[in-house]
Amino acid sequence: MNGVLAILEYRGGWNRMSWEALAAGQALAAQLNQPLMAAVAGANLDEAMADLAAKPLARAFAVRHPLLGEYTADGFTAAFEQLIRALDPALALFPHTYQVRDFAPCLAMRFGQTLIADAIAIGVDSGQPVFVRQLLQGKLNADYRHAGAGPCFVSIQAGAFRADALAGEPSGARCAVEEFAPRIEASQIRSQPGERFRESAQTVDLSAASLIVAVGRGIKEQANLPVVEELARALGAELAASRPICDNGWLPMEGQVGSSGQTVSPKVYIAVGISGAIQHLVGMKGSKAIIAINKDESAPIFEVADYGIVGDLFEVAPALTAAVRKVKGG
Amino acid sequence: MKIIVAVKQVPSRDSAIRLDAAGKWLEERDLTFEINEPDAYALEEALLLKQKHGGEVIVLCAGPERAGQTIRETLAKGADRAIHILCDDLVRLDTLALARRLAAAAAAENADLILTGLQSDDLGLGLTGVVMAEILGMPHAAIVMQVEILDSSVRVKRELEDGWFQWVQMPMPALLTIQSGISPLRYATLMGIKKAKTKEVRRIAPEQLSPPEPPTIALQRVYLPPRKKKTQIITGAPAEAAAKLADVLKFEMRVL
C-alpha cells in the first residue's frame, strides 16, 4: 500500500470541495512522504483532466465509462473499487459532499473498512495519521485512527482545508493523465436517476445582504418569530434561519442558511438561538463579523462568533431591538 | 408492506456535557437520552407509508437497557413491534460491526424497505444505513426528502447541495436514509402509550447476530474543541448587554 488517492467530484464543472480535499491530500502526502494521486469518474472528462494535469500530482486518473455519465451509487462504487484495487493506495480521500455520503460508505465496506467521515483536521503522530472529527453537533472533538488492515478511507468537511493552499507545481511541469476503464455492466446499476432540479427560484438572495439576522431552534415556536422580525426590521437586516425553522414551515425554505440552503457572507451576521451545527456553520462562517445570542454558553456558535451574549433570546433580542432604535434615532 | 426503521438513542441536545475520566467518551450519568432526531423522521415516514399502503412497521434498535425507553416511545407513536439488540458496547464498536449486527437482525425479517436517519446526532458519521444496504445487497439512497411507492419499486427525492434535488427510482427491497424535516413529527397519543405496553419487543444478544471482529477505526480521545477565535462575551443584564452591542454595531462594525 502506498500513496494518497484523492477522489474528486466533477459534473460538467468541479464541486469546489474537491480542491479542499486535494489540499488535505497534499498536506498528508507531504507529511507521510508518499505520492499524491487524484481520480475523477464520468463519461466526459476531457476538461476535468486538463485541469488535473496542472495540479501538483504524481498521477491523475480519468475513470471513464459511458455508464458513469450520471452519478449512481452502484456505478461509482464499482468503478472506484476497481481503481483502488489496481492502485492499492494507503489512503483514499474524498470531499464530504452529498454524493460522497451516498457511495463512499459502501466503497469502504467493500475493503472491509469504515469511512472516517467528515474530518475537520489531520495530524500525524508517530508516522500515523490522526483524524479529527466533531461529535455531538460540534460540541466535542474526537481523534480517530485507522485501525484496519486495508486502505484508510476519509472524507473531508467543507471548509476544513483551504483550496487556495493547494500548492502548484513550481516547475510548471504537468502530471501524466492516465485512463482507467472500469468494467461495469448496465445490469449492475439498480437505481435510475432523474434530472437534477431546484424547487423554486430563489426569491430572497441572501448572498447580497450586508446585514443578516438568523433565527434557530431557540425561538421555540412560530408565534415567537416577531421577536426576531422586529430586530431585523430595526437593523434593516434580512431575516434568515437555520434548517429546523424552515423544516417546520415557519419561514420559507429560501431563507435557509447552511449546507442545504444558501451560503452567505454579510458584514454582520447575528445568530439568534442558533446552536451552530456544522451544517449551519458552513453556510455563514465566511461572514465578516458574527454575533451570537444563545442561552447555552457551550453552543458551538460561540466558536465562530466575534461577539456573544449568553442569555435568554426572549430578553436579549427585544432589548437589542430597543437599543438599536435608540442608537439609530440618536 | 413491511418496513424496518433502524433507530438510535443518543444524548439529548441540551444534555450537560462532561468528559469521562479516561477522556474516551462522556460521563453518562450526567446525560439524558432521546431518539436520534433524523431517526424520528425515518419513523414518521414509515408510519405515513403504512397508513397509505398498509403493512407493518418494525423498529430495530441496538443499545443498552436504557434504549428500551426510546423503543417504547416509537411503539407509542404507532410502530407495531420492535427488535432490541441489547448491547452496551456501542461506543467501542465501529460502524462496520454495528451495521453487521443491525443487518443480521434485519435480514431475518425480509422487509420491503429499511429506513433510518441520515446520521446520528452523537457520532455524526452518516454511515450505518448505507453500510447496512451494502451488507444486505440492497440498493439504497442517502439523504431522502420524499418517498413514493410504485408497485415493486420506490421513487425517492434525494437532497443535493445548494438547494438542488433529484428523483431516483430503485427496486425494492431498498434502504433509504431519511433527512430531518421530511414531514412534521407526530406525538404519541394516550391510547398509543397504553397500547405500546402490550406490543412485542424482542431482545437479541449481539453474539447471536455477528461474530466479534477487530475494529477498523479507533476513537482515541474526545476533548472540548479548542477556541480558534477569541469571542468577546458581552456581559450584563439584557438591556445593558444590548446597549453595549448596539455600540459595537455602530462604532466598530459601522452598520447602524
Side-chain angles (χ1 to χ4, degrees):
Chain A
M1 288 197 297
N2 193 35
V4 175
L5 174 66
I7 292 182
L8 310 180
E9 195 167 312
Y10 177 89
R11 188 170 46 246
W14 289 99
N15 183 320
R16 59 190 160 74
M17 282 168 63
S18 294
W19 306 127
E20 298 172 2
L22 196 59
Q26 187 180 36
L28 190 56
Q31 279 180 290
L32 299 173
N33 197 20
Q34 294 200 16
L36 176 65
M37 303 175 280
V40 61
N44 303 306
L45 295 171
D46 293 348
E47 282 179 34
M49 297 323 287
D51 291 340
L52 281 188
K55 299 291 174 194
L57 297 166
R59 301 170 80 181
F61 296 90
V63 181
R64 214 185 290 250
H65 196 286
L67 289 170
L68 299 174
E70 182 65 50
Y71 165 79
T72 59
D74 289 335
F76 273 50
T77 305
F80 286 124
E81 181 188 355
Q82 292 170 36
L83 179 73
I84 292 171
R85 293 214 187 278
L87 296 178
D88 194 25
L91 282 113
L93 222 62
F94 305 78
H96 191 68
T97 63
Y98 279 47
Q99 183 168 302
V100 162
R101 290 158 76 179
D102 194 56
F103 80 91
C106 289
L107 182 60
M109 170 69 206
R110 298 234 173 136
F111 292 84
Q113 304 303 313
T114 302
L115 174 72
I116 299 176
D118 213 16
I120 58 164
I122 306 174
V124 173
D125 178 27
S126 330
Q128 293 296 313
V130 178
F131 303 97
V132 184
R133 295 188 63 254
Q134 294 174 304
L135 304 182
L136 297 156
Q137 315 268 325
K139 284 186 192 148
L140 280 185
N141 278 6
D143 289 351
Y144 279 81
R145 264 179 203 255
H146 177 233
C152 168
F153 290 80
V154 186
S155 66
I156 305 293
Q157 186 171 99
F161 285 80
R162 294 183 62 100
D164 56 17
L166 192 62
E169 197 64 63
S171 60
R174 298 178 74 76
C175 90
V177 169
E178 300 170 51
E179 289 292 322
F180 184 86
R183 291 174 309 279
I184 312 173
E185 304 290 335
S187 59
Q188 276 176 274
I189 296 174
R190 295 167 292 183
S191 55
Q192 302 157 30
E195 290 292 310
R196 289 160 190 258
F197 63 96
R198 271 200 150 123
E199 207 87 290
S200 58
Q202 294 200 340
T203 45
V204 197
D205 184 10
L206 293 172
S207 63
S210 70
L211 260 171
I212 293 177
V213 170
V215 57
R217 266 180 215 274
I219 197 75
K220 292 199 177 86
E221 49 187 301
Q222 189 170 17
N224 296 331
L225 277 178
V227 174
V228 283
E229 283 166 346
E230 276 177 42
L231 176 59
R233 209 172 302 128
L235 285 161
E238 292 286 350
L239 187 62
S242 65
R243 180 161 189 133
I245 302 302
C246 302
D247 280 345
N248 286 335
W250 298 351
L251 283 173
M253 274 294 182
E254 299 92 83
Q256 186 198 322
V257 168
S259 57
S260 51
Q262 299 198 45
T263 302
V264 299
S265 49
K267 268 187 173 164
V268 181
Y269 188 93
I270 306 182
V272 184
I274 291 179
S275 67
I278 180 58
Q279 296 86 341
H280 185 74
L281 296 187
V282 296
M284 49 65 80
K285 65 185 178 190
S287 305
K288 311 271 175 315
I290 297 169
I291 296 169
I293 298 169
N294 203 299
K295 67 171 170 27
D296 177 7
E297 62 180 327
S298 66
I301 192 74
F302 289 116
E303 296 297 320
V304 300
D306 300 278
Y307 285 91
I309 295 181
V310 179
D312 181 353
L313 78 88
F314 297 107
E315 291 176 7
V316 177
L320 184 58
T321 304
V324 166
R325 286 201 182 116
K326 195 171 161 203
V327 168
K328 274 192 160 179
Chain B
M1 197 160 131
K2 198 172 186 179
I3 308 172
I4 292 177
V5 186
V7 308
K8 183 179 188 183
Q9 190 190 48
V10 297
S12 56
R13 280 173 188 268
D14 39 17
S15 272
I17 306 257
R18 206 153 56 84
L19 303 181
D20 68 11
K24 291 260 184 191
W25 191 238
L26 304 172
E27 192 55 70
E28 292 225 342
R29 275 173 309 179
D30 298 346
L31 300 175
T32 54
F33 291 89
E34 62 188 9
I35 187 169
N36 179 43
E37 187 177 75
D39 296 342
Y41 285 97
L43 173 67
E44 181 60 40
E45 188 57 32
L47 295 173
L48 290 173
L49 288 172
K50 183 192 162 181
Q51 281 167 12
K52 220 167 168 182
H53 304 281
E56 189 183 21
V57 173
I58 306 156
V59 164
L60 173 61
C61 179
E65 196 69 44
R66 60 170 156 74
Q69 175 59 28
T70 292
I71 291 172
R72 281 292 160 209
E73 285 163 18
T74 66
L75 295 172
K77 283 190 173 190
D80 297 288
R81 59 187 169 92
I83 301 166
H84 184 175
I85 304 171
L86 197 60
C87 51
D88 52 13
D89 57 353
L90 287 193
V91 176
R92 295 189 301 278
L93 221 53
D94 67 6
T95 306
L96 232 53
L98 173 63
R100 283 195 179 108
R101 273 183 202 172
L102 293 168
E109 294 286 347
N110 287 314
D112 301 292
L113 270 184
I114 301 178
L115 306 186
T116 189
L118 80 164
Q119 63 187 28
S120 61
D121 285 341
D122 55 356
L123 295 183
L125 284 156
L127 305 175
T128 307
V130 178
V131 174
M132 271 177 81
E134 177 69 21
I135 294 170
L136 292 165
M138 286 182 186
H140 74 272
I143 319 177
V144 166
M145 289 295 293
Q146 206 175 322
V147 183
E148 289 177 3
I149 305 295
L150 318 158
D151 295 328
S152 61
S153 63
V154 59
R155 186 170 174 263
V156 302
K157 189 166 104 181
R158 279 196 63 215
E159 182 181 293
L160 310 173
E161 277 120 345
D162 297 326
W164 288 84
F165 297 94
Q166 182 178 37
W167 284 96
V168 180
Q169 192 173 327
M170 68 199 77
M172 291 195 284
L175 187 145
L176 310 174
T177 78
I178 303 292
Q179 171 65 289
S180 283
I182 180 168
S183 2
L185 297 177
R186 70 189 65 198
Y187 291 99
T189 60
L190 223 57
M191 181 61 92
I193 294 166
K194 221 168 146 187
K195 271 190 181 164
K197 294 188 180 126
T198 63
K199 288 179 177 171
E200 177 195 308
V201 180
R202 190 157 59 89
R203 293 180 157 209
I204 312 181
E207 302 77 45
Q208 290 171 256
L209 296 168
S210 58
E213 292 193 38
T216 52
I217 59 174
L219 200 178
Q220 294 208 293
R221 68 179 186 117
V222 296
Y223 49 99
L224 294 172
R227 284 201 181 271
K228 285 199 191 99
K229 213 163 175 178
K230 184 104 185 75
T231 307
Q232 212 162 317
I233 297 291
I234 301 174
T235 53
E240 188 191 343
K244 286 185 205 163
L245 184 54
D247 280 346
V248 169
L249 287 165
K250 184 178 170 79
F251 297 108
E252 186 180 324
M253 298 175 181
R254 295 172 188 278
V255 289
L256 293 187

